[in-house]
Amino acid sequence: MADAAVAVVALLVLGPGAVALRGVLDGLRIGIPASIAVLAPLAEGARLVRRWGVRSGARPVLAGATLVVATLLRVLVPALAGPLGIGGFLVADAVWWAGGLLLARRRRRFLLGALALEAPLVVVVAAPAVAAGGVRIGAVAAAQQGLPFAATMPVAFLLLLAVVGVLLPWAVQADVRRLGGTARLLGGAALAAQPVSAAAAASVLFLGLGAGWAVVATALLTAVVVVAERWFPRPALARLTRVSLAVLLPLGAVQLAIVVVLAVLAVLAG
Amino acid sequence: MGVMSSLALLRVHVLVVELPGRPVLRLRAEAAVRDRGWIVTREPADTDVLLVCGTPRAAIADAVHALWSDVPSPRARRTVRAVADLGEVLDSAARVLEDRVLQRRAAAEAAPAPAGPPPGRFGPLLPDWPAGLVLDCAPGADGRIAAVGARRLAAEPEDDALPAAVLAVADAARLLRLAGWAAPALRLDRVVDLSVAGVAPERLRPRLRSVAGRARGSGTLRTVLRDAAPSVDVHARLLSLLDAAIDDDAPPPPASRVLIGTAPDAVPLLVAATEPGRG
């Protein structure tokens, strides 16, 4: 339970940290001093907590809460997944998509996009499971005592950060931006926390780090994701769907195939 | 004033509404908003202050009221007609936002929300949309636009002006925002703000060259724009606006607008790319 508490506290600290970093980066561009811009998470929170009279109903609030739960689940996987092991990350993804579906105006299109973006993640999560010979967190960590998986399967490592940390938020961002009040607060919190939870998952799956160092690695990887996402325009979901199926899924499949071949060779040699 | 109010007033979100004919006043208002460290928003649901730039005549008053009805409380609405009034108008908006008694009373007396626009209508007031332009788009069986009706509401005269190059930068920022690339759009917003404040163009050219270089070299941007609006080369239009701004020149006229056969989602970007430079 101590690990779970550390994970939740890290999320509560690093999520606002991601908002603060975005605020500072935006502030640098529009001339707002960093000393003011860094207060963005507090100021945004205060603005949205004071809101009332938002004509949105319960559904957007439920959607925002579901997105927050998804980010929480993802950071709690190492502590609470048990026999489900790293499969818990896919459960967290499913919860994220459920939240997005509640917000989506075109549900069928959103569902197709969700399936297309989730496909490379299934492949990416399978790679460390194959290399470790099991899905349990302990087995995945033990298999990285020598060289972390980030070194032996860098494509899967980068795909996880890109898809979970950038593309999953992009898939729901337009719908969250239309929200106000509590729903906006929850949706915004989830968008802020998602890069953190992606970095936390990458720290466990591909760096094999325990609670202490995992927090440090999560903070660094979160900063990298927040900075890197600004280098690219945010495409529409239809475009993300095509990119996922045409580029990300094949890349992940090639990475998984290499891992499978190496695992088979290791078994034959042993 | 409580801690929450103080924090909230650090980043007041302002929806700056340009009425037909007042693009320069809108740009000056946005610069004044950002100068306070406040945020220019494009979403009514995320707005604290609705700042109307110009005189809301009868033809456009309903559209302003529709925007206002989507703004949650606490909220403030102000109309500005002259640049000299901007400071006082924003100050008074901040005072209204922190007056809880006034906010409760105003919320209780608020007029009911008007009926939404008919399906397929764009304008006359939308974020990153030419003020006063109204397009009624009828979809065909395939969901694409089969017929378009267009009209423009009368524009009020504006006795203020900015160089064409500055308006071109604002147009380029609009295209980048509609393309989903906020970071370079913010850099261009800063260029506009500094130009409005009187900074010499040559001091701003390095920023413009940097954004133009990124836009020119981004294959992702080119693909995103081609996907979003295949009937017009929006990427070329963006670069022509930036090149004109770098050369301190007026941009070339845009390509002609063809909306028939395009997806309704593409309309805002297509309109932004084919509208003559207005800022």
Side-chain angles (χ1 to χ4, degrees):
Chain A
M1 287 308 289
D3 285 355
V6 168
V8 171
V9 170
L11 188 68
L12 290 175
V13 172
L14 295 178
V19 178
L21 179 57
R22 283 199 186 103
V24 169
L25 292 171
D26 285 348
L28 287 174
R29 280 170 172 75
I30 56 176
I32 298 176
S35 57
I36 299 292
V38 78
L39 296 174
L42 291 173
E44 287 295 315
R47 272 185 66 243
L48 295 170
V49 165
R50 292 172 78 233
R51 281 276 194 236
W52 82 88
V54 180
R55 295 181 294 116
S56 59
R59 192 189 186 103
V61 176
L62 178 64
T66 307
L67 292 173
V68 170
V69 167
T71 62
L72 270 172
L73 279 179
R74 193 171 287 105
V75 298
L76 288 174
V77 164
L80 303 179
L84 189 58
I86 60 177
F89 292 121
L90 300 180
V91 174
D93 294 343
V95 174
W96 178 270
W97 293 123
L101 194 61
L102 284 170
L103 284 179
R105 291 195 294 189
R106 295 174 185 170
R107 301 227 166 93
R108 190 161 166 271
R109 184 183 286 191
F110 182 83
L111 203 54
L112 289 174
L115 290 172
L117 284 170
E118 192 59 29
L121 285 179
V122 173
V123 174
V124 160
V125 171
V130 169
V135 297
R136 284 185 171 273
I137 298 292
V140 172
Q144 301 182 75
Q145 290 300 320
L147 204 57
F149 288 159
T152 56
M153 47 185 94
V155 173
F157 173 61
L158 293 175
L159 276 178
L160 181 82
L161 283 175
V163 178
V164 180
V166 179
L167 303 191
L168 263 65
W170 278 0
V172 302
Q173 198 172 50
D175 292 315
V176 168
R177 282 197 173 150
R178 279 192 289 273
L179 302 177
T182 308
R184 172 82 177 214
L185 180 62
L186 290 168
L191 289 177
Q194 184 68 4
V196 181
S197 73
S203 301
V204 171
L205 280 174
F206 294 101
L207 298 177
L209 297 173
W213 284 108
V215 173
V216 176
T218 298
L220 292 174
L221 290 175
T222 299
V224 169
V225 170
V226 167
V227 172
E229 72 179 356
R230 307 167 67 83
W231 296 344
F232 303 97
R234 177 173 56 83
L237 185 59
R239 175 74 192 160
L240 287 180
T241 302
R242 285 199 294 277
V243 168
S244 183
L245 293 178
V247 180
L248 305 182
L249 183 58
L251 276 175
V254 168
Q255 175 74 88
L256 179 61
I258 293 171
V259 170
V260 169
V261 168
L262 291 176
V264 170
L265 288 176
V267 169
L268 291 176
Chain B
M1 188 165 53
V3 175
M4 293 289 271
S5 292
S6 303
L7 283 170
L9 288 177
L10 279 178
R11 274 171 77 90
V12 175
H13 287 215
V14 184
L15 180 61
V16 182
V17 178
E18 172 193 330
L19 295 185
R22 304 306 302 269
V24 174
L25 181 57
R26 192 254 306 168
L27 291 176
R28 292 193 189 279
E30 289 186 353
V33 167
R34 283 189 284 263
D35 189 49
R36 292 172 173 242
W38 292 2
I39 305 297
V40 175
T41 184
R42 315 273 162 193
E43 300 293 340
D46 190 39
T47 295
D48 303 307
V49 174
L50 185 77
L51 181 60
V52 181
C53 295
T55 307
R57 298 174 183 178
I60 205 143
D62 285 349
V64 174
H65 181 58
L67 284 177
W68 176 240
S69 67
D70 285 338
V71 177
S73 298
R75 60 183 182 171
R77 172 176 165 173
R78 286 292 179 269
T79 299
V80 62
R81 295 180 179 82
V83 177
D85 300 335
L86 274 169
E88 172 53 30
V89 161
L90 292 174
D91 285 343
S92 76
R95 285 195 296 273
V96 168
L97 280 180
E98 65 185 280
D99 188 334
R100 296 182 69 84
V101 176
L102 178 66
Q103 290 292 335
R104 294 280 175 199
R105 198 170 67 227
E109 296 167 357
R121 171 166 292 180
F122 294 86
L125 298 177
L126 286 174
D128 293 317
W129 180 264
L133 175 65
V134 182
L135 294 181
D136 286 297
C137 302
D142 60 355
R144 293 179 174 272
I145 295 171
V148 180
R151 63 192 165 92
R152 281 184 195 274
L153 302 184
E156 60 184 293
E158 188 164 51
D159 57 1
D160 191 5
L162 285 172
V166 178
L167 300 181
V169 176
D171 285 341
R174 172 186 295 176
L175 284 180
L176 284 168
R177 269 193 300 275
L178 288 168
W181 206 4
L186 286 175
R187 269 198 109 173
L188 294 184
D189 286 339
R190 180 66 173 158
V191 169
V192 173
D193 294 351
L194 291 172
S195 300
V196 163
V199 174
E202 54 271 18
R203 287 186 56 199
L204 301 173
R205 275 193 197 113
R207 296 172 197 245
L208 289 172
R209 286 202 185 95
S210 164
V211 173
R214 284 183 71 185
R216 207 179 300 277
S218 172
T220 312
L221 177 65
R222 196 185 304 264
T223 311
V224 164
L225 291 173
R226 193 173 55 229
D227 268 13
S231 61
V232 172
D233 191 344
V234 183
H235 191 253
R237 174 64 178 164
L238 172 66
L239 294 180
S240 73
L241 289 168
L242 290 169
D243 289 342
I246 291 168
D247 297 339
D248 203 9
D249 206 351
S256 57
R257 183 180 300 158
V258 179
L259 294 176
I260 304 290
T262 61
D265 288 352
V267 169
L269 183 60
L270 269 173
V271 167
T274 54
E275 189 75 1
R278 293 155 56 99

